[in-house]
Every structure is written in C-alpha cells, then in structure tokens.
Amino acid sequence: NAGVMQNPRHLVRRRGQEARLRCSPMKGHSHVYWYRQLPEEGLKFMVYLQKENIIDESGMPKERFSAEFPKEGPSILRIQQVVRGDSAAYFCASSVSTGTTAGELFFGEGSRLTVL
Amino acid sequence: GENVEQHPSTLSVQEGDSAVIKCTYSDSASNYFPWYKQELGKRPQLIIDIRSNVGEKKDQRIAVTLNKTAKHFSLHITETQPEDSAVYFCAAPADKLIFGTGTRLQVFP
C-alpha cells in the first residue's frame, strides 16, 4: 500500500511564475489536507478537501492560492505569480476520518518550493 | 476555532535523561491528540496518540498524558537517545488537525 505521494519533491520558480504541487492520498483515504511549513517553523494548515469539494480553506491566502481534488486524479495546490515569501515546504496529508474524531494523518514527503 | 500552544520551543537533554513537552488546547470538544516527530528534511510521522477516554498511554519509552479538565496533554520520553533528536509537534482536531509550534529536542551523548 503506497503512502501519500507528492510531486515534485523540489520545485524552483522565478518570481511571477506558477507553481503546481500534486498529491495522491493513500489508497482508501478520501480526505486530503495541505500544510505549509516555512523554514524553522511549524505546520500551518492551509486547506482541507474531499473529492470534488473544498471543505475548509480558512488557512489559505485569498489571492494567488487555489486547491482542488478532482473526482479522478491527484489533489493539486496551485500558486500563481509566486513571490519569495512562498518559498516553503508544502506537505500533503490524508486520512480516513476527520473532525473531532480525527484519525491519524499520513504525510507525504513534501514539496519544497524555492522562489528565486 | 481550535488553538494549540506548545512549550518549550527548544529542549536540550543529556542522553539517558527524560524529556517532557507540554501542549494546551482550546476546544473542549476535541477528543484526539496525536504527537508527531519530524526529523530534519523529512515528513512528520505519528509516534503516539491518545483519545479522550483515557488519561495516559505508553509505548516503550514514550508516553502521553491527557488532562481534559485543564485541556492540556504532554509527551514524555524516558531514557532519551541521540536518535530522539528531532522536532516534535502536538496537534488537536477541529475538522482538521491544528498543530502546535513545535519543540526542537536535542539529545547530547
């Protein structure tokens, strides 16, 4: 059973370009979460999705960031017109259940975005 | 929404000593409290978790205690080893896990 798969593992973009990060959850998991981790900092929640639905995007910047989890294919976190402050590790996680009875989150290896 | 505070931010111990990391949470409805370990450059991985129907859980050198009345929970690592050096995160659930700010643990040989 493959774990959470993220790609690319490393991505370099110049200011103003677009970054697309992909995440395939563990088999049987329908809940996907994206977290951002700045260097030497903690895990900041960005967005929570189920298939074809954004459940909670309260942690995602209103501009330039978007996320989707289509019926077929991986979840995608898209950052338009990247700026240097977007440089971070972006972790995707998946789980079977959620809410206050949340179960274990399984994390991918992360995508490390560097904006030049 | 849920708010999680974690202390200390850094912790240095001698090999063989114990380490304790504490977290507080705000949402009294939370009932699942995991601890994750993140080694440098790697992904966070679950090391132990506890549900609100128990007050303590142990797994070899690691234990977690929960005080629901006071809304805090703690990670205890006994007989620390250099390979325990990492950043440790507590978390509490809303409809998603909210993580504490992390504790960087250094175990010196």
Side-chain angles (χ1 to χ4, degrees), chain A residues 41-115:
Chain A
E41 293 193 9
L43 296 155
K44 297 292 187 186
F45 167 77
M46 298 183 73
V47 62
Y48 160 39
L49 310 105
Q50 293 182 27
K51 282 286 186 183
E52 300 185 277
N53 284 306
I54 296 175
I55 307 302
D56 184 340
E57 57 181 348
S58 58
M60 201 149 69
K62 295 284 187 286
E63 297 179 352
R64 301 189 298 108
F65 286 73
S66 62
E68 62 177 7
F69 188 15
K71 186 176 180 182
E72 301 290 339
S75 175
I76 296 175
L77 180 67
R78 182 184 179 202
I79 311 172
Q80 295 178 288
Q81 300 172 352
V82 296
V83 301
R84 288 212 175 111
D86 296 333
S87 296
Y90 292 83
F91 286 96
C92 171
S94 71
S95 74
V96 172
S97 59
T98 186
T100 53
T101 58
E104 179 178 356
L105 283 190
F106 293 83
F107 282 86
E109 294 288 355
S111 291
R112 283 155 181 79
L113 172 65
T114 301
V115 179

Side-chain angles (χ1 to χ4, degrees), chain B residues 15-84:
Chain B
E15 182 178 1
D17 288 349
S18 295
V20 180
I21 304 170
K22 298 180 180 179
C23 283
T24 61
Y25 61 98
S26 60
D27 188 349
S28 56
S30 293
N31 63 359
Y32 172 70
F33 306 94
W35 286 89
Y36 283 78
K37 176 183 180 182
Q38 186 179 29
E39 297 177 353
L40 188 63
K42 298 195 175 178
R43 62 183 167 180
Q45 291 192 291
L46 181 74
I47 55 171
I48 194 167
D49 57 15
I50 191 168
R51 295 196 180 270
S52 58
N53 56 345
V54 297
E56 184 177 3
K57 183 177 178 180
K58 284 185 179 179
D59 183 3
Q60 299 183 344
R61 298 185 297 109
I62 294 173
V64 56
T65 58
L66 171 65
N67 184 328
K68 281 220 76 177
T69 303
K71 288 193 271 188
H72 66 71
F73 55 113
S74 300
L75 177 70
H76 304 253
I77 306 174
T78 58
E79 302 172 25
T80 53
Q81 300 168 2
E83 51 265 37
D84 294 330

